[in-house]
Amino acid sequence: MKIKKITENIHTRFCIVLGSISLLFLLIEYMTHLEFMFHLSAIPLEILLGVFIVGNFLEKREKKERRRQLMFIKSCVFRSELLNLFIVNFDALKFPSLTMSKIRNATLEEIRQMRKEADTIEYQSPEMMESVIMEYVKAEQVWHSFKERAITYNFEEIFHDMIFILNFIYDVKAFKNNNPDKLFIYEAEKNILFMGKIKKVLGAGIQKFLDYAIELKEKHPDTFDELISDYELASKIRRIQSDGIGS
């Protein structure tokens, strides 16, 4: 971040110097009426234009590369620290009814349709929502990590998303510290604002996962197959374990 700031300062000063030189030539032309000075004043401006165009191109290329890096970082995190969170979240859904097998076997257009349906999320029960909420709390360090990456990569939207999730987690932890034997969801149901925050966080998890699935399916189908296959297997194992406990 410090190197980037230093680079930006150098770039700004360079532009100021070029602009000042151009103004100086214009001033000389005004005082001496030498047309040659007028032409000279255009040179720094042309350089500035070139710097702007090249800088803009490099910035876009750098941002694209950072997005690509983030995509593969997400693949790693989704398969490890966040794997259980997403499985629990999908298993708790009432609508849309989504399974990893369904996602894996779907076409790109079908996944896009799933994503549209996921704009409206319903859960099977408050208790299942509580399980998802606690998975978010367990993954607190992941959200901190993504927040730091968002700062480093200058992804403002991701930064604000992480802040929202972390504030939500702090609310849950504060409640649990004072009420260790109570479910947060029951208390939240008494407050429209709290329920709105819960639905936003949990629903966004489903939506972001599907957005990522679409991105992988479209650009990196092999990575998509690997990721969803891992989730499909983990989901089956979890279901077997749940059935074993139930019996």
Side-chain angles (χ1 to χ4, degrees):
M1 290 294 287
K2 288 183 178 179
I3 294 174
K4 184 178 180 182
K5 194 169 184 179
I6 291 171
T7 304
E8 288 176 350
N9 287 337
I10 292 173
H11 180 267
T12 301
R13 290 177 183 178
F14 179 68
C15 291
I16 291 173
V17 169
L18 286 176
S20 300
I21 292 172
S22 181
L23 287 173
L24 178 62
F25 283 138
L26 285 173
L27 180 61
I28 294 173
E29 189 275 335
Y30 176 77
M31 295 175 65
T32 63
H33 302 291
L34 293 174
E35 188 176 346
F36 177 66
M37 291 297 173
F38 180 78
H39 294 298
L40 282 179
S41 69
I43 295 175
L45 295 178
E46 290 172 356
I47 295 173
L48 268 177
L49 180 61
V51 168
F52 175 78
I53 293 173
V54 173
N56 193 42
F57 169 76
L58 292 176
E59 185 179 351
K60 286 182 179 179
R61 189 173 70 175
E62 183 183 357
K63 193 167 186 178
K64 185 178 180 180
E65 177 61 21
R66 291 198 301 264
R67 286 280 182 190
R68 191 184 72 84
Q69 292 173 0
L70 183 63
M71 182 177 65
F72 289 112
I73 290 171
K74 284 166 69 175
S75 176
C76 178
V77 175
F78 276 31
R79 293 190 203 186
S80 51
E81 293 103 318
L82 294 182
L83 187 145
N84 201 56
L85 182 152
F86 283 119
I87 288 176
V88 172
N89 203 354
F90 274 90
D91 284 350
L93 284 177
K94 179 180 179 181
F95 179 86
S97 178
L98 298 173
T99 64
M100 292 301 154
S101 297
K102 186 176 180 180
I103 294 172
R104 184 171 67 84
N105 295 317
T107 64
L108 184 59
E109 287 306 314
E110 287 172 338
I111 300 176
R112 285 185 174 135
Q113 181 58 36
M114 295 176 193
R115 174 60 183 85
K116 288 181 181 179
E117 292 175 353
D119 284 335
T120 304
I121 297 287
E122 291 182 36
Y123 284 91
Q124 296 180 43
S125 68
E127 293 77 16
M128 295 187 80
M129 291 179 74
E130 181 79 7
S131 297
V132 183
I133 291 169
M134 296 317 298
E135 289 297 329
Y136 269 89
V137 175
K138 292 176 187 176
E140 180 179 350
Q141 289 306 313
V142 177
W143 313 125
H144 278 294
S145 178
F146 270 118
K147 183 192 71 174
E148 294 304 317
R149 287 192 178 99
I151 294 172
T152 302
Y153 292 166
N154 196 27
F155 292 149
E156 188 173 351
E157 182 182 351
I158 295 176
F159 174 78
H160 288 298
D161 287 344
M162 294 306 103
I163 292 296
F164 189 87
I165 291 174
L166 287 168
N167 285 337
F168 167 71
I169 289 172
Y170 299 150
D171 289 339
V172 177
K173 290 173 70 175
F175 175 82
K176 286 291 185 179
N177 286 337
N178 294 321
N179 306 275
D181 299 325
K182 293 183 179 180
L183 297 185
F184 177 77
I185 188 68
Y186 289 160
E187 188 67 23
E189 285 180 322
K190 303 173 186 176
N191 188 302
I192 295 176
L193 292 177
F194 266 135
M195 279 306 295
K197 186 177 286 190
I198 289 174
K199 289 179 179 179
K200 181 176 179 179
V201 171
L202 272 57
I206 298 294
Q207 294 154 8
K208 296 293 185 184
F209 185 94
L210 291 173
D211 286 338
Y212 185 53
I214 291 169
E215 183 181 11
L216 289 180
K217 182 81 170 179
E218 192 171 21
K219 299 177 181 177
H220 302 278
D222 291 340
T223 305
F224 169 85
D225 289 335
E226 292 172 4
L227 176 71
I228 302 302
S229 294
D230 285 350
Y231 269 83
E232 187 178 23
L233 178 60
S235 184
K236 287 178 180 177
I237 292 173
R238 183 175 184 272
R239 199 169 294 115
I240 291 171
Q241 291 174 339
S242 297
D243 291 342
I245 294 172
S247 61

